Amino acid sequence: MKTELFAKQIRRKSLEMVNHANASHVAGALSIADVLAVLYNSIMNIDPENPLMEERDYLIYSKGHTCVALYAALALKGFYPVSDLDTYGKKGSPFISHVSSKIPGVEFSTGSLGHGLPLACGLALAFKRQKKKNNVYCVVGDGEMDEGSNWEAMLFACQNGLDNLCLIVDVNKLQAMGKTVDILDLENITAKFEAFGWICRRIDGHNLAEIEKSLSLFSTSSGKPFAVICDTIKGKGVSFMEGELRYHYAPPTDTQLQEALNELN
Ligand SMILES: Cc1ncc(C[n+]2csc(CCOP(=O)(O)OP(=O)(O)O)c2C)c(N)n1
């Protein structure tokens, strides 16, 4: 599937799941859909037929509240049937409303913010020590960067020369209760990463070519961890959701779902 269509399908499935389950967090799923599409289509070494392949790349998806985007990406990639997504949020389903490692292709359960990057650092260090070639990718939200554990992990990654670690920050500028700039301003985030000893690129997180280009610059011989700061729009792709804080929590109604799917058609 072409990456553009893949990203669109991630958005469509995410909206459907959240509507059917009357769940939350769709807007942050829409902001990261393009990054996930590029990661799974052209960057990561993975095999849907063999999710535990030893030499695979790992994705630690730390913004676990936006699980629908990850569940959709894995289904569309062939880790399990797309129809499994219909059970999302239903009693007895493994597709619970924060990322669950019971799902094929998921490496780590997430949802308690600030845990993904420290875990990714541990994995990257272990792979280095074992002289293994696996790369570790980690996705965090900009609101999630309020967690002090991330900054400790950033120091740790630099000290240990974790050049097999690539962090992607989804800077959609909104978190649960307001604007990131008003709650804990992250700017200048690129300068902060560089001051912590990282190689850092800042890109348009909805430009598929730019995402692919920046992720392919991630080199495992640089001696430094790599960060891609993605400027994104919360709710991207659905005009009435774009930049609207209420869709951090509010699911689309049935009418809004139809409107959104039409727009994404
Ligand atoms: C440790 C922890 N504290 C609080 C929450 C509740 N929570 C869920 S999402 C969220 C906001 C996250 O903002 P951001 O990282 O910007 O996510 P996005 O905008 O991409 O959805 C909060 C505070 C949580 N899941 N974990």
Side-chain angles (χ1 to χ4, degrees):
M1 195 186 302
K2 283 222 166 106
T3 309
E4 196 178 344
L5 179 61
F6 187 19
K8 203 176 270 195
Q9 293 290 64
I10 293 174
R11 291 193 164 94
R12 291 174 62 90
K13 284 287 148 202
S14 298
L15 286 155
E16 285 173 358
M17 278 188 266
V18 169
N19 165 269
H20 295 165
N22 199 26
S24 291
H25 304 134
V26 75
L30 299 177
S31 65
I32 199 66
D34 295 307
V35 166
L36 284 176
V38 174
L39 274 175
Y40 279 105
N41 242 15
S42 41
I43 300 291
M44 287 200 303
N45 178 27
I46 42 128
D47 180 2
E49 303 281 308
N50 184 9
L52 299 177
M53 174 177 73
E54 196 163 341
E55 61 275 27
R56 71 190 182 277
D57 290 337
Y58 281 58
L59 172 63
I60 305 300
Y61 186 74
S62 195
K63 39 180 265 162
H65 57 290
T66 61
C67 57
V68 285
L70 181 65
Y71 292 162
L74 291 169
L76 292 159
K77 207 64 207 166
F79 282 84
Y80 39 83
V82 173
S83 58
D84 284 7
L85 301 175
D86 297 342
T87 68
Y88 174 68
K90 302 225 167 94
K91 203 172 170 198
S93 169
F95 293 89
I96 57 173
S97 66
H98 284 68
V99 166
S100 163
S101 61
K102 292 201 173 127
I103 306 299
V106 173
E107 305 289 355
F108 184 58
S109 297
T110 51
S112 185
L113 301 171
H115 289 238
L117 183 58
L119 180 95
C121 286
L123 277 170
L125 181 64
F127 290 140
K128 268 202 162 294
R129 288 196 172 158
Q130 294 163 21
K131 305 211 180 316
K132 289 188 173 168
K133 298 280 174 226
N134 314 60
N135 291 326
V136 182
Y137 295 87
C138 178
V139 173
V140 298
D142 54 350
E144 183 177 0
M145 289 301 293
D146 293 356
E147 298 285 353
S149 51
N150 287 316
W151 299 89
E152 183 182 350
M154 283 159 61
L155 286 173
F156 179 91
C158 173
Q159 170 133 1
N160 289 281
L162 300 182
D163 51 12
N164 53 348
L165 172 67
C166 174
L167 175 67
I168 296 156
V169 188
D170 180 9
V171 181
N172 62 27
K173 292 143 197 103
L174 290 174
Q175 43 195 88
M177 310 299 271
K179 293 181 184 169
T180 304
V181 70
D182 294 334
I183 295 168
L184 267 185
D185 188 1
L186 282 176
E187 299 300 343
N188 177 340
I189 186 169
T190 308
K192 289 185 171 75
F193 269 93
E194 285 170 353
F196 275 64
W198 287 54
I199 298 171
C200 189
R201 297 266 177 287
R202 188 160 193 163
I203 60 160
D204 172 353
H206 298 308
N207 181 323
L208 298 173
E210 243 188 273
I211 301 169
E212 189 169 341
K213 190 172 160 210
S214 64
L215 288 175
S216 56
L217 291 174
F218 166 42
S219 151
T220 52
S221 54
S222 66
K224 291 179 173 190
F226 188 77
V228 182
I229 310 301
C230 292
D231 280 306
T232 60
I233 296 171
K234 203 152 169 172
K236 174 72 179 175
V238 179
S239 12
F240 66 85
M241 288 188 174
E242 289 189 359
E244 284 296 328
L245 182 63
R246 70 179 257 99
Y247 295 103
H248 179 82
Y249 289 117
T253 61
D254 292 350
T255 320
Q256 285 176 327
L257 174 66
Q258 269 324 308
E259 203 180 310
L261 294 179
N262 289 343
E263 190 176 342
L264 285 166
N265 220 348

